[in-house]
Amino acid sequence: MTVGGTTFLLDLLLLYLLIDYFEIYYVGATALAFSIAVSINYFVSRRFVFTGTLRSVHAGYGIFILIAGAGMVAVTGLMVVLVELFHLPYLPARVIVASIVGLWNYGMNLYVNFKVAGKH
C-alpha cells in the first residue's frame, strides 16, 4: 500500500501541475500523469512489493504496460464521466477513479504479471 499510495500522490501532484500550471486539458493531463506515475510504480513495486517474480524486467514491464494501458483507458474514461456528466472537480474525481482502477491494476499485476499471489 505504501508504494501504491506514494505513486498515487505523485499522480495527483503531476495532475495538478499539468492542469493548473501548464494548462493542459484534464483528459491529456490525466493520461500523462497516470503514465508517469504507473511507470515509476512498476520499478518500485518490482523491487519492493512483488519480490518473488521470476519474470524478467523487460517482459514484466511489457505486460505491465499492457495492463497500465487498459487502466489508462479506464481512468481517462471514468474521469470524463465524473467531470463532464457529474460536474465533479478533477482532483476529487481522480481520487474516486483511483479507488476503482487501482485495485484492478494491482490485482492484474499480482495474479497475471508478477504471478506472486500467495507468495507474500
Side-chain angles (χ1 to χ4, degrees):
M1 281 306 233
T2 303
V3 171
T6 302
T7 54
F8 176 61
L9 290 176
L10 173 64
D11 186 326
L12 289 178
L13 175 63
L14 290 170
L15 183 62
Y16 171 74
L17 292 173
L18 291 169
I19 292 172
D20 288 4
Y21 287 93
F22 294 101
E23 299 179 353
I24 296 174
Y25 187 60
Y26 81 94
V27 175
T30 298
L32 182 57
F34 178 84
S35 297
I36 292 168
V38 81
S39 290
I40 291 169
N41 182 284
Y42 171 76
F43 293 104
V44 175
S45 290
R46 182 174 175 87
R47 175 74 171 106
F48 297 108
V49 179
F50 301 116
T51 56
T53 186
L54 299 177
R55 194 179 304 275
S56 73
V57 172
H58 293 95
Y61 189 65
I63 294 168
F64 187 83
I65 290 299
L66 291 174
I67 293 168
M72 184 170 32
V73 169
V75 165
T76 54
L78 289 170
M79 283 289 288
V80 169
V81 169
L82 293 177
V83 171
E84 299 295 331
L85 295 178
F86 293 101
H87 307 288
L88 288 177
Y90 72 88
L91 284 175
R94 183 63 185 95
V95 171
I96 292 168
V97 169
S99 66
I100 300 164
V101 178
L103 291 173
W104 181 85
N105 275 349
Y106 177 80
M108 290 297 291
N109 279 297
L110 180 66
Y111 293 102
V112 176
N113 189 8
F114 294 108
K115 297 182 180 180
V116 294
K119 295 181 183 178
H120 59 71

